[in-house]
C-alpha cells in the first residue's frame, strides 16, 4: 500500500447515495469493478470484468468503469456525513468483489474509519486468507454470501468451487466485529428445502453470527447482459413467489433456531 492512503487508486463504476440497504442506516454504496465469480443471476454483470467497458443502455453507449483515488471517493461520500451520523449509517463497498482490489479497498476502508464512518462490505470472500486479514480490522460489518454447500453445484452456477469461501466464512466469523450471512435464493440452483436447510445449519455453526438473510432472486439486471453483448443464462427462470420464500423462511428458522432469519436485507 502507498504511504498516503488517500493517493491509492482503484476502479469503480458507480457510487449510490441514500441507500437504506446493504448495512444499517443511510449509506453510500461504492461499486468496484472486478469479480472472481461469474454467478448466472448476477444483477451487476458490468461489475464482473475489471476492464473498462462499453454497455448499451437506453439505446446509448455508456462507458462503465473509472479510475479514482481514495481522496476523490471520500470527497463524494463525505457530502452525506450528516445522514450517516443521524441514522447510524455509513459506507458499503460492493461490486464486483472488493477483495479483488485489496490495496484500494483497504485504503478506502481505513480512510472511512479516519473520518468516523461506519464501514461494511458485500463479499463472497473468495480470496486468499491474507487479503481477508488485511481488510478485517477496517470492516464493521461483513455482508457475506453463502450460495450453496455443494461445491460442484457452486462451481456450475458461479464458475468457482466453494471450499475457500466456507473456510473464510468461519475465519471471518471468528474474528470480525459482525458477520451477516446472506443467501441469494435462486430457482434451479439453491431454492429447495434441503439446500436452504444445509446453508442455514452452516450459518448456525459460525461463532458470533446472529442473522441470516434470504434474498429472493430477481431479474432487474437482465437487460444489462444484452447491453454487454452477453447471454443471460437464467432467461425464462421466474422469481420465487412470496409463498415459496415464506416456506424457505420456515425451513431456515427450523434449521437454525439460534439465528434471526429474515427475507431481504
Amino acid at each position: 500500500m502507498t504511504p498516503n492512503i488517500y493517493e491509492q487508486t482503484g476502479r469503480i463504476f458507480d457510487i449510490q447515495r441514500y441507500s437504506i440497504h446493504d448495512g444499517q442506516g443511510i449509506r453510500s454504496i461504492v461499486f468496484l469493478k472486478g469479480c472472481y465469480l461469474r454467478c448466472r443471476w448476477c444483477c451487476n454483470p458490468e461489475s464482473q470484468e475489471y476492464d473498462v467497458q462499453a454497455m448499451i443502455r437506453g439505446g446509448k453507449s455508456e462507458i462503465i468503469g473509472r479510475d479514482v483515488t481514495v481522496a476523490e471517493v471520500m470527497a463524494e461520500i463525505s457530502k452525506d456525513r450528516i445522514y450517516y451520523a443521524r441514522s447510524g449509517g455509513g459506507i458499503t463497498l460492493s461490486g464486483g468483489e472488493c477483495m479483488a482490489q485489496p490495496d484500494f479497498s483497504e485504503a478506502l476502508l481505513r480512510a472511512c474509519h479516519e473520518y468516523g464512518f461506519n464501514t461494511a462490505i458485500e463479499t463472497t470472500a473468495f480470496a486468499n486468507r491474507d487479503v481477508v486479514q488485511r481488510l478485517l480490522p477496517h470492516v464493521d460489518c461483513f455482508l457475506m454470501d453463502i450460495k450453496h454447500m455443494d461445491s460442484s453445484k457452486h462451481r456450475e452456477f458461479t464458475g468457482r468451487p466453494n471450499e475457500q469461501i466456507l473456510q473464510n466464512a468461519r475465519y471471518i466469523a471468528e474474528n470480525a466485529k459482525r458477520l451477516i450471512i446472506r443467501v441469494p435464493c435462486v430457482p434451479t440452483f439453491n431454492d429447495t428445502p434441503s439446500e436452504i436447510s444445509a446453508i442455514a445449519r452452516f450459518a448456525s455453526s459460525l461463532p458470533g453470527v446472529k442473522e441470516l438473510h434470504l434474498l429472493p432472486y430477481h431479474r432487474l439486471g437482465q437487460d444489462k447482459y444484452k447491453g454487454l453483448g452477453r447471454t443471460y443464462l437464467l432467461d425464462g427462470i421466474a422469481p420465487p413467489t412470496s409463498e415459496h420464500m415464506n416456506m424457505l423462511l420456515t425451513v431456515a428458522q427450523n434449521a437454525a433456531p439460534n439465528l434471526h432469519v429474515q427475507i431481504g436485507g
Side-chain angles (χ1 to χ4, degrees):
M1 180 180 295
T2 57
N4 184 349
I5 60 174
Y6 294 92
E7 296 176 357
Q8 179 64 52
T9 60
R11 184 164 294 173
I12 68 172
F13 68 95
D14 196 15
I15 297 177
Q16 177 182 308
R17 299 169 68 188
Y18 312 121
S19 175
I20 56 172
H21 303 288
D22 305 318
Q24 66 187 33
I26 297 172
R27 310 191 71 81
S28 292
I29 316 297
V30 182
F31 291 89
L32 280 69
K33 285 279 276 177
C35 185
Y36 299 121
L37 273 59
R38 294 294 181 267
C39 301
R40 294 184 182 182
W41 61 90
C42 182
C43 62
N44 289 327
E46 73 274 33
S47 74
Q48 294 179 347
E49 296 291 340
Y50 177 77
D51 292 341
V52 175
Q53 298 170 283
M55 182 172 72
I56 305 298
R57 183 154 46 189
K60 298 180 180 180
S61 180
E62 295 184 16
I63 299 301
I64 307 297
R66 58 190 173 99
D67 293 333
V68 294
T69 64
V70 168
E72 289 171 330
V73 175
M74 295 306 298
E76 178 68 20
I77 63 181
S78 294
K79 296 175 182 177
D80 297 321
R81 64 167 65 238
I82 189 170
Y83 298 109
Y84 311 148
R86 289 179 176 177
S87 68
I91 315 304
T92 301
L93 304 192
S94 187
E97 170 56 68
C98 67
M99 291 191 184
Q101 294 191 52
D103 291 342
F104 178 66
S105 295
E106 182 185 4
L108 181 54
L109 291 166
R110 285 180 59 189
C112 286
H113 273 175
E114 287 189 1
Y115 274 61
F117 298 159
N118 177 273
T119 61
I121 67 171
E122 291 186 292
T123 183
T124 67
F126 186 85
N128 292 333
R129 180 62 55 81
D130 67 301
V131 173
V132 177
Q133 291 171 332
R134 286 177 60 182
L135 299 191
L136 252 170
H138 314 295
V139 179
D140 296 311
C141 181
F142 283 81
L143 303 164
M144 182 177 174
D145 279 6
I146 299 294
K147 306 175 195 298
H148 212 289
M149 295 305 296
D150 181 85
S151 188
S152 61
K153 196 166 187 182
H154 193 280
R155 182 193 290 272
E156 178 186 357
F157 277 75
T158 73
R160 298 286 189 174
N162 70 356
E163 287 85 0
Q164 189 175 37
I165 291 170
L166 299 181
Q167 292 167 7
N168 280 335
R170 189 162 298 280
Y171 180 81
I172 292 169
E174 292 170 349
N175 294 279
K177 299 173 185 176
R178 185 182 183 193
L179 169 62
I180 297 174
I181 299 298
R182 308 203 298 184
V183 186
C185 298
V186 182
T188 72
F189 173 53
N190 68 352
D191 73 333
T192 66
S194 62
E195 289 166 319
I196 293 298
S197 179
I199 296 172
R201 289 194 301 272
F202 174 77
S204 178
S205 76
L206 298 175
V209 171
K210 299 178 180 179
E211 296 180 58
L212 176 65
H213 297 175
L214 306 181
L215 310 181
Y217 162 74
H218 59 76
R219 298 185 296 200
L220 297 179
Q222 184 171 351
D223 290 345
K224 296 179 181 180
Y225 288 81
K226 183 177 180 181
L228 291 168
R230 294 175 53 184
T231 299
Y232 185 67
L233 297 178
L234 294 185
D235 190 32
I237 300 298
T241 64
S242 58
E243 291 79 10
H244 188 77
M245 288 304 303
N246 282 323
M247 180 272 291
L248 295 180
L249 175 66
T250 300
V251 166
Q253 289 171 331
N254 290 336
N258 61 316
L259 300 183
H260 168 74
V261 187
Q262 67 184 52
I263 297 173

